[in-house]
């Protein structure tokens, strides 16, 4: 399996001591610069998280377009877009435009999304769960309409009074192939099964919103198996892609120890808690000496099963610090999981 690695930025910003991203502009422009630098390093992907009503990245399209214009090879992804908040047809137009600017490099993770601070915040965006349904139903409904639109399907009709005919209309512009590069963010086996049935790729993060009592990596590997089995049984052709996310913070200098050392004991352990009413298992962070992290990742069942490893980064530290972190991972850790720098 050809392993890929990419960075995943939440785009945090705010005026706190020591930050390199006091403003939204700082977080946005620095992410473009990091994507350029990561491409030169041979990293395969630059991915961004999308949140609403928080000091993080929100609408991803201007940022993806900017990264696409400044790079030539690296994949540009989202992990994930909360479909409850999206107008599917407007999203189809904007994502197609960004994909065309990039030359067809978008990899779009979509899903119901995570917990947001606003109470039913998607309603403020003009979207409401179907009668008798849930917000998860709303997300899947929007996802289906979006996929129809980016696939070139008819989503409106001509006005016979103006055109003399009634014919279907597709969203423009259209970006060929984008419909095959959609990932569903899943935190359970059941949603992974659904994603496989729908023919989407699978994106699994550092959280599973179910706990079966087995270690996180094993549970996530089981989730991946369920997804791939559902894909095959649904009759989809080709091989789906799968990504998992890990927090990887190698310590090679005294500065690293000062920044990350305090987290080594607590964050290096898996956690079980209640999130959104569901008993959830949270994966551990990989903090410490590069050799030890390399061994732990190579032993990680889900990392072995996935083709793409997304590395969550502390974007507030700025471009130079994050590039140094990615360089250490690329040179001393990623080869242990079978990764090689891209030279295309």
């Amino acid at each position: 399996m050809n392993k890929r690695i990419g960075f995943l930025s939440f785009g945090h910003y705010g005026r706190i001591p020591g930050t390199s991203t006091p403003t939204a502009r700082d977080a946005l422009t620095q992410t473009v610069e990091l994507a350029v630098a990561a491409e030169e390093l041979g990293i395969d992907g630059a991915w961004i998280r999308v949140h609403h009503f928080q000091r993080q990245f929100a609408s991803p399209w201007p940022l993806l377009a900017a990264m696409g214009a400044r790079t030539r090879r690296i994949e540009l992804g989202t992990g994930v877009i909360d479909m409850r908040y999206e107008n599917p047809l407007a999203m189809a137009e904007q994502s197609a435009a960004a994909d065309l600017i990039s030359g067809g490099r978008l990899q779009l993770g979509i899903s119901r999304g995570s917990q947001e601070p606003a109470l039913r915040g998607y309603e403020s965006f003009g979207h409401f769960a179907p009668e008798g349904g849930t917000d998860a139903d709303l997300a899947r409904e929007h996802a289906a309409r979006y996929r129809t639109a980016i696939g070139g399907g008819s989503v409106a009709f001509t006005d016979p009074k103006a055109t003399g005919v009634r014919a279907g209309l597709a969203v423009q512009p259209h970006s060929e192939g984008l419909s095959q590069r959609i990932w569903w963010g899943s935190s359970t086996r059941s949603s992974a099964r659904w994603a496989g049935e729908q023919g989407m790729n699978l994106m699994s993060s550092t959280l599973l919103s179910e706990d079966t009592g087995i270690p996180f990596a094993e549970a996530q590997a089981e989730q991946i198996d369920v997804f791939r089995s559902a894909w095959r049984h649904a009759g989809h052709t080709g091989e789906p892609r799968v990504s998992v996310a890990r927090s990887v913070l190698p310590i090679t200098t005294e500065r690293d120890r000062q920044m990350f050392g305090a987290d080594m004991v607590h964050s290096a352990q898996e956690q079980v808690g209640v999130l959104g009413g569901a008993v959830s298992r949270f994966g551990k962070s990989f903090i410490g000496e590069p050799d030890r992290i390399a061994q732990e990742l190579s032993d990680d069942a889900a990392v072995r099963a996935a083709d793409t490893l997304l590395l969550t980064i502390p974007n507030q530290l700025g471009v130079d610090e994050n590039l140094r972190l990615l360089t250490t991972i690329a040179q001393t850790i990623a080869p242990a999981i079978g990764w090689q720098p891209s030279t295309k």
Side-chain angles (χ1 to χ4, degrees):
M1 181 186 296
N2 181 29
K3 291 286 188 182
R4 296 177 173 90
I5 61 172
F7 72 79
L8 173 61
S9 175
F10 281 53
H12 293 286
Y13 62 91
R15 297 188 183 280
I16 60 175
T19 186
S20 291
T21 57
T23 69
R25 182 182 187 279
D26 294 318
L28 291 163
T29 57
Q30 288 182 27
T31 301
V32 176
E33 296 303 323
L34 184 58
V36 172
E39 180 174 77
E40 294 174 354
L41 182 61
I43 299 296
D44 302 288
W47 299 65
I48 57 174
R49 188 68 167 87
V50 179
H51 278 292
H52 299 283
F53 300 109
Q54 298 184 69
R55 292 181 182 273
Q56 298 178 42
F57 295 140
S59 175
W61 312 118
L63 179 54
L64 290 171
M67 289 194 292
R70 289 284 307 280
T71 57
R72 60 176 181 80
R73 173 196 56 79
I74 197 168
E75 292 182 337
L76 307 170
T78 58
V80 294
I81 297 170
D82 189 331
M83 293 303 293
R84 297 174 298 177
Y85 285 78
E86 295 296 325
N87 177 310
L89 302 191
M91 178 175 166
E93 292 177 340
Q94 294 162 16
S95 60
D99 195 46
L100 290 168
I101 290 171
S102 76
R105 288 182 281 131
L106 295 196
Q107 301 285 341
L108 298 182
I110 65 175
S111 191
R112 173 196 170 276
S114 61
Q115 301 298 316
E116 299 280 358
L119 177 63
R120 297 190 301 277
Y122 47 88
E123 294 182 358
S124 297
F125 280 60
H127 306 302
F128 300 85
E131 186 174 353
T134 66
D135 62 343
D137 296 325
L138 172 65
R140 293 188 180 192
E141 179 182 289
H142 281 188
R145 188 159 174 76
Y146 169 68
R147 294 182 72 203
T148 296
I150 61 168
S154 295
V155 293
F157 293 92
T158 58
D159 181 355
K161 293 180 180 180
T163 65
V165 296
R166 177 177 169 81
L169 291 171
V171 163
Q172 298 295 338
H174 174 70
S175 186
E176 189 70 32
L178 178 57
S179 61
Q180 304 304 311
R181 288 178 267 118
I182 305 300
W183 307 55
W184 187 258
S186 169
S187 62
T188 65
R189 288 166 295 178
S190 62
S191 62
R193 181 179 297 108
W194 180 83
E197 293 169 349
Q198 298 299 309
M200 288 185 276
N201 300 308
L202 179 70
M203 177 175 286
S204 189
S205 69
T206 55
L207 163 70
L208 294 174
S209 55
E210 59 184 355
D211 180 40
T212 60
I214 63 176
F216 178 86
E218 294 179 22
Q220 196 172 47
E222 182 179 313
Q223 178 196 33
I224 294 170
D225 286 341
V226 167
F227 163 74
R228 287 190 170 129
S229 177
W231 172 284
R232 291 191 298 269
H233 289 160
H236 299 298
T237 59
E239 186 67 23
R241 289 185 60 183
V242 175
S243 73
V244 296
R246 295 291 184 267
S247 177
V248 178
L249 299 171
I251 294 180
T252 61
T253 67
E254 185 57 33
R255 177 172 171 76
D256 294 334
R257 192 169 302 279
Q258 292 174 355
M259 290 190 295
F260 310 130
D263 296 328
M264 290 180 64
V265 175
H266 177 75
S267 299
Q269 303 295 322
E270 293 183 13
Q271 305 291 325
V272 176
V274 177
L275 182 65
V279 177
S280 305
R281 181 172 286 267
F282 302 82
K284 70 175 184 178
S285 296
F286 294 78
I287 307 174
E289 299 296 326
D291 289 347
R292 181 173 64 80
I293 294 176
Q295 186 61 54
E296 290 179 345
L297 286 177
S298 65
D299 291 339
D300 188 305
V303 172
R304 291 199 305 269
D307 63 80
T308 301
L309 173 62
L310 299 182
L311 305 161
T312 62
I313 60 167
N315 74 284
Q316 305 98 311
L317 295 182
V319 175
D320 290 344
E321 288 291 349
N322 278 291
L323 181 59
R324 186 172 67 84
L325 184 153
L326 290 173
T327 300
T328 298
I329 294 173
Q331 293 177 349
T332 65
I333 296 175
I337 64 170
W339 176 80
Q340 294 181 342
S342 179
T343 56
K344 292 181 181 180

